[in-house]
Amino acid sequence: MKQLILFIILLITSLLNAARAQSKPVYQLFKSDGELANYEQMITDLSHSDMVFFGEYHTNPISHWMQLEVSKSLFATKGDALFFGAEMFESGNQLVLNEYLNGVYAEDKMIPEMTQMWGNYKTDYRPLVEFAKDKKLRFIATNIPRRYASMINKKGIDGLKELSPEALELIGPDLETFFDPTVKAYAEMADNMGGHVPPNMLNIQMAQAAKDATMAHFSLKNFEQGNLLLHFEGSYHSNYEQGIIWWINKIQPGLTLKSITTVLESEWNAMTAEQKATIANYIIVVVDNMTQTNW
């Protein structure tokens, strides 16, 4: 009997060791309290929001896979109350994008007419657009056209005075009202340059803010009570309730905003408890050596 018990113990130990040896998780999902998150509980929590901001690393495949999975899960809960927005599409492309989503325009016609289409569209963002098309959900192009952000970078806010009313419709109108270079997201841009701050630093900060303000504007413009917006952006635009989230709270306070972010394992391990608690509501921690998509 003792030998049988010993054999069973050795067998269980061997199986557990084998399981550990075969276990190589590529990511873990955490809550802001540092505890592991349950995916289904996260979806339930997010579904009670007005807007969810999903911060990605642009070439990280785990970010993009999880974006699609979260989209599917939120659709199962919210149905056609769900709609999408994305940094990756400029506001001037909305008409063409709508025509494609509505089946008016073929994809091989749509793509060449989309200005500044990102190089990883087919692998990373097309699945989201196709999901929206299949489920007949809205997909909002929220970002400022790059040419106008470049103009602000060179000329500052005065550059907008050179634009037509039609052009100004493509830019968030709240930039001059609320822009504050001392806000964390923009102050850090100057801090990170050390002693080499260029003379046009204020313009650089304002150009960055113009992206956030425009994405916030079109998120709000297309939102109605009862909707759930799932917005996709680089994590820099939503971490620590900065960027787009800061602008939405300025323009229309009172909405329930939640966020997901992506960080590498080495970054997560180096973060303080306070940083982990404030970076986002949910954090996808990805192994450092995860392969990247082409951008």
Side-chain angles (χ1 to χ4, degrees), residues 67-196:
Q67 285 171 341
L68 185 58
E69 292 304 306
V70 169
S71 298
K72 292 175 180 177
S73 297
L74 288 177
F75 176 74
T77 301
K78 301 294 291 188
D80 60 9
L82 177 68
F83 74 104
F84 303 118
E87 172 196 1
M88 300 80 200
F89 301 103
E90 297 180 356
S91 57
N93 289 321
Q94 191 66 63
L95 177 61
V96 176
L97 181 58
N98 285 348
E99 289 175 341
Y100 174 68
L101 292 172
N102 294 329
V104 175
Y105 217 32
E107 184 180 46
D108 62 347
K109 303 293 184 183
M110 178 267 290
I111 290 179
E113 291 199 24
M114 298 281 279
T115 59
Q116 304 292 343
M117 180 71 89
W118 289 27
N120 58 337
Y121 170 76
K122 288 188 177 180
T123 56
D124 298 339
Y125 305 112
R126 184 179 184 273
L128 298 169
V129 172
E130 293 302 307
F131 180 77
K133 187 173 188 288
D134 180 60
K135 302 302 182 183
K136 303 187 185 309
L137 303 177
R138 292 177 293 151
F139 203 121
I140 309 304
T142 62
N143 207 357
I144 185 174
R146 198 174 302 179
R147 61 188 182 276
Y148 300 145
S150 178
M151 175 182 289
I152 295 170
N153 188 296
K154 293 177 182 177
K155 301 181 179 182
I157 197 70
D158 288 341
L160 298 181
K161 297 176 182 177
E162 303 176 16
L163 299 178
S164 67
E166 292 82 3
L168 292 174
E169 287 292 319
L170 303 178
I171 304 170
D174 308 289
L175 181 62
E176 192 168 12
T177 303
F178 295 118
F179 173 66
D180 181 355
T182 68
V183 168
K184 175 181 169 66
Y186 311 125
E188 285 182 347
M189 295 175 68
D191 293 341
N192 291 338
M193 293 186 177
H196 304 285

Side-chain angles (χ1 to χ4, degrees), residues 191-242:
D191 293 341
N192 291 338
M193 293 186 177
H196 304 285
V197 178
N200 69 330
M201 189 66 227
L202 190 64
N203 290 355
I204 295 172
Q205 292 167 312
M206 189 170 287
Q208 180 69 27
K211 299 175 183 179
D212 295 329
T214 300
M215 288 189 275
H217 168 69
F218 283 106
S219 295
L220 290 167
K221 182 178 179 179
N222 291 278
F223 175 81
E224 295 180 0
Q225 196 63 39
N227 287 168
L228 173 57
L229 166 65
L230 178 57
H231 191 279
F232 311 110
E233 70 285 336
S235 58
Y236 179 84
H237 292 285
S238 54
N239 281 351
Y240 300 105
E241 297 188 342
Q242 294 289 296

